[in-house]
């Protein structure tokens, strides 16, 4: 029995008709001044492209020398090396630039960035933001907000006009990772914490979380953790997650997002491109979800080898919501595999993707490329369901896409 409508077209229409909720990005509205990043020089110096360029730099240029250059100079080097040189821009990040330029009506096969720069310099941030969100199909963006960032913290204290399409997320890395490193900064912010972890320090840190969730109207709290993050453990980070983050998430009724598997700065000379990955022991997630059954956990793992077991663990604990194909997984071949196994093991109870965009214009490619891969997986699963005898309707497909790309019943 096949459906009486074209399933692939119905899936495409469902995506066309529903504004995407992008639940993890590093984007900021232009009202946040220097944190708002857009345009060719930001796009081309994206750390994915800097890392890829470092593999093909001219023989007479070291990465150290590249690092000393201005952003436009770096963009010119990257453009010449990856887009004008003697290789095709076939990587996902490289192809993304081509997609962005085509979407903006610019020819991507050019010798330099002058046309792109001229085009972009004529844009005003509000109109450009509206255009990019419209063209990418994104209706809501969740940010990554760090009160301890020297640029961002004062903005929240001084106030700024908030764009309702940009939702705040309290990012905890700088407050909790490498304890007691953050102690001095937290004390300077008025939190009476000490290096030795005590109930008083836990209480003060919970106050930090409440204060900043209130100030930002944070929709969830997020932290990235290394592959050796263990639970249970006497490690400081584990004690802080257990005694500070999870209880606060439970008290506020907001998710605790954990992004696990990143090994920071394996090659420091690449700067923000120097991070890598490792496989996590997912038994730790079983232990956390069992100890905190009332906390909704948004989980994304960086190792491809963790993906199937994340699906199985989510079957065991309803408070685990897998989300996105993060970072090194955000490539068509891996997105296809992960999305298929998530459908097969979790039905529609997962959040298929987030962009992780850092530069506004990246939305124009990150979502286009993702949906090019994800939509056919949706169609394939609906075809199989229809073939099995389920009288599928177009409304069913629209409802599922709206749920899965609308925050997954965990975020609204
Ligand atoms: O920690 C994170 O949120 C990661 O997404 C990092 O920002 C990483 O550098 C990145 O940009 N991934 O796409
Ligand atoms: Zn990120």
């Amino acid at each position: 029995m096949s459906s009486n409508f074209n399933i692939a077209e119905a899936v495409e229409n469902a995506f066309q008709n529903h504004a995407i909720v992008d639940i993890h990005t590093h984007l900021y509205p232009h009202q946040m001044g220097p944190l708002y990043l857009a345009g060719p020089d930001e796009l081309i110096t994206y750390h994915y492209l800097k890392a890829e360029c470092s593999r093909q730099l001219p023989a007479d240029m070291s990465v150290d020398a590249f690092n000393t250059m201005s952003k436009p100079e770096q963009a010119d080097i990257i453009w010449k090396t990856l887009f004008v040189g003697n290789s095709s821009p076939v990587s996902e990040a490289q192809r993304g630039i081509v997609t962005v330029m085509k979407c903006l009506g610019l020819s991507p096969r050019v010798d330099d960035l002058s046309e792109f720069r001229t085009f972009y310099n004529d844009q005003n941030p509000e109109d450009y933001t509206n255009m990019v969100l419209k063209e990418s199909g994104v209706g809501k963006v969740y940010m990554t907000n760090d009160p301890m960032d020297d640029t961002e913290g004062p903005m929240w204290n001084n106030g700024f006009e908030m764009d309702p399409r940009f939702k705040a997320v309290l990012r905890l890395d700088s407050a909790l990772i490498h304890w007691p490193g953050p102690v001095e900064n937290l004390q300077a912010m008025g939190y009476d914490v000490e290096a030795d972890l005590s109930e008083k320090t836990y209480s003060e840190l919970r106050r930090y979380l409440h204060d900043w969730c209130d100030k930002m109207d944070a929709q969830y709290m997020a932290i990235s953790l290394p592959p050796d993050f263990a639970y249970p453990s006497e490690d400081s980070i584990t004690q802080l997650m257990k005694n500070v983050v999870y209880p606060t998430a439970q008290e506020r009724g907001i998710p605790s997002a954990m992004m696990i598997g990143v090994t920071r700065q394996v090659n420091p000379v690449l700067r923000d491109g120097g991070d890598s990955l490792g496989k996590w022991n997912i038994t730790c997630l079983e232990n956390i979800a069992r100890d905190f059954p009332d906390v909704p956990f948004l989980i994304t793992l960086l190792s491809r080898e963790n993906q199937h077991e994340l699906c199985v663990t989510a079957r065991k604990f309803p408070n685990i919501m897998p989300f996105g194909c993060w970072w090194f997984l955000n490539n068509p071949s891996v997105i296809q595999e992960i999305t298929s196994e998530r459908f097969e093991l979790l039905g529609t109870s997962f959040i298929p993707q987030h962009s992780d965009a850092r530069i506004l214009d990246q939305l124009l490619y990150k979502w286009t490329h993702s949906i090019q891969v994800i939509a056919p997986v949706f169609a394939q699963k609906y075809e199989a369901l229809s073939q099995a005898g389920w009288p599928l309707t177009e409304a069913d497909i629209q409802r599922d896409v709206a749920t899965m790309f609308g925050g997954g019943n965990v975020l609204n």
Side-chain angles (χ1 to χ4, degrees):
M1 169 187 179
S2 63
S3 62
N4 58 5
F5 61 93
N6 182 306
I7 287 176
E9 282 177 15
V11 170
E12 285 298 333
N13 292 339
F15 279 105
Q16 293 296 328
N17 298 337
H18 186 271
I20 289 164
V21 172
D22 195 345
I23 80 159
H24 171 61
T25 78
H26 302 266
L27 299 177
Y28 305 90
H30 66 83
Q31 291 88 339
M32 294 183 80
L35 294 179
Y36 166 81
L37 302 177
D41 290 310
E42 294 296 347
L43 267 175
I44 303 297
T45 57
Y46 180 36
H47 69 72
Y48 291 22
L49 291 171
K50 286 198 292 186
E52 292 169 24
C53 182
S54 75
R55 296 174 49 74
Q56 298 177 237
L57 278 177
D60 62 351
M61 184 180 297
S62 69
V63 178
D64 279 320
F66 175 87
N67 288 341
T68 63
M69 294 178 174
S70 69
K71 190 161 281 193
E73 288 169 333
Q74 290 183 348
D76 289 336
I77 294 288
I78 292 169
W79 186 257
K80 291 273 187 284
T81 304
L82 297 180
F83 295 85
V84 181
N86 48 13
S87 71
S88 302
V90 287
S91 81
E92 186 59 9
Q94 295 165 23
R95 180 169 72 100
I97 300 301
V98 176
T99 300
V100 169
M101 293 178 79
K102 287 298 283 179
C103 185
L104 296 174
L106 300 167
S107 168
R109 191 154 192 169
V110 288
D111 288 341
D112 59 47
L113 293 166
S114 54
E115 183 194 20
F116 197 167
R117 286 174 175 142
T118 302
F119 163 84
Y120 178 69
N121 290 338
D122 289 343
Q123 305 300 316
N124 88 44
E126 185 67 25
D127 294 342
Y128 199 63
T129 299
N130 294 340
M131 181 276 292
V132 169
L133 291 180
K134 177 174 180 292
E135 291 303 313
S136 59
V138 173
K140 192 182 291 184
V141 167
Y142 284 79
M143 301 184 279
T144 295
N145 303 106
D146 179 3
M148 298 179 79
D149 175 86
D150 292 339
T151 304
E152 183 174 6
M155 287 183 190
W156 290 100
N157 286 322
N158 301 331
F160 57 90
E161 183 201 352
M162 216 28 218
D163 181 329
R165 298 168 294 185
F166 289 74
K167 296 296 182 185
V169 170
L170 180 57
R171 185 64 179 254
L172 302 175
D173 300 43
S174 53
L176 302 180
I177 301 282
H178 302 314
W179 194 269
V183 166
E184 197 174 321
N185 286 341
L186 287 161
Q187 288 170 342
M189 293 172 78
Y191 296 96
D192 189 13
V193 298
E194 295 166 351
D196 292 339
L197 293 180
S198 64
E199 184 42 45
K200 178 177 160 236
T201 290
Y202 292 147
S203 171
E204 280 294 277
L205 283 168
R206 288 194 294 267
R207 184 167 70 88
Y208 170 84
L209 298 189
H210 283 297
D211 286 352
W212 282 96
C213 281
D214 289 342
K215 192 184 290 275
M216 295 176 165
D217 186 21
Q219 302 298 298
Y220 65 88
M221 296 180 287
I223 191 167
S224 73
L225 294 163
D228 63 358
F229 168 66
Y231 184 103
S233 163
E234 289 310 307
D235 290 351
S236 297
I237 186 57
T238 307
Q239 292 303 308
L240 290 166
M241 297 301 289
K242 178 182 177 183
N243 294 290
V244 176
V245 179
Y246 304 150
T248 305
Q250 183 162 345
E251 194 178 333
R252 300 187 68 89
I254 62 172
S256 164
M258 293 191 284
M259 309 166 66
I260 305 174
V262 55
T263 48
R264 295 287 180 192
Q265 295 302 287
V266 299
N267 186 5
V269 75
L270 292 180
R271 306 236 171 119
D272 50 358
D275 302 333
S276 190
L277 61 79
K279 184 174 183 295
W280 187 42
N281 173 3
I282 208 153
T283 306
C284 302
L285 182 56
E286 295 168 4
N287 299 333
I288 294 165
R290 190 184 310 115
D291 284 0
F292 294 90
D294 299 325
V295 174
F297 290 103
L298 286 167
I299 303 291
T300 197
L301 304 181
L302 194 47
S303 169
R304 177 181 172 220
E305 288 68 27
N306 272 139
Q307 300 309 315
H308 181 264
E309 55 191 10
L310 173 58
C311 292
V312 174
T313 307
R315 288 168 62 90
K316 305 303 149 194
F317 297 95
N319 57 327
I320 294 173
M321 176 62 79
F323 77 91
C325 303
W326 183 29
W327 201 341
F328 302 113
L329 303 173
N330 197 359
N331 301 312
S333 59
V334 182
I335 294 170
Q336 195 277 337
E337 174 187 275
I338 293 177
T339 307
S340 298
E341 66 191 5
R342 285 173 172 174
F343 261 125
E344 292 151 7
L345 284 163
L346 299 173
T348 59
S349 63
F350 67 97
I351 299 173
Q353 188 58 303
H354 65 274
S355 73
D356 217 350
R358 290 176 165 274
I359 319 298
L360 179 69
D361 342 39
Q362 285 178 333
L363 293 178
L364 296 174
Y365 90 81
K366 281 174 175 273
W367 281 107
T368 308
H369 291 189
S370 288
I371 291 171
Q372 280 169 354
V373 178
I374 290 172
V377 176
F378 269 70
Q380 180 197 39
K381 295 307 175 188
Y382 286 125
E383 288 287 0
L385 179 63
S386 182
Q387 290 297 331
W390 181 259
L392 190 71
T393 69
E394 293 187 70
D396 294 334
I397 296 173
Q398 286 171 6
R399 174 205 58 212
D400 295 345
V401 168
T403 302
M404 298 170 78
F405 286 86
N409 279 335
V410 175
L411 296 166
N412 48 37

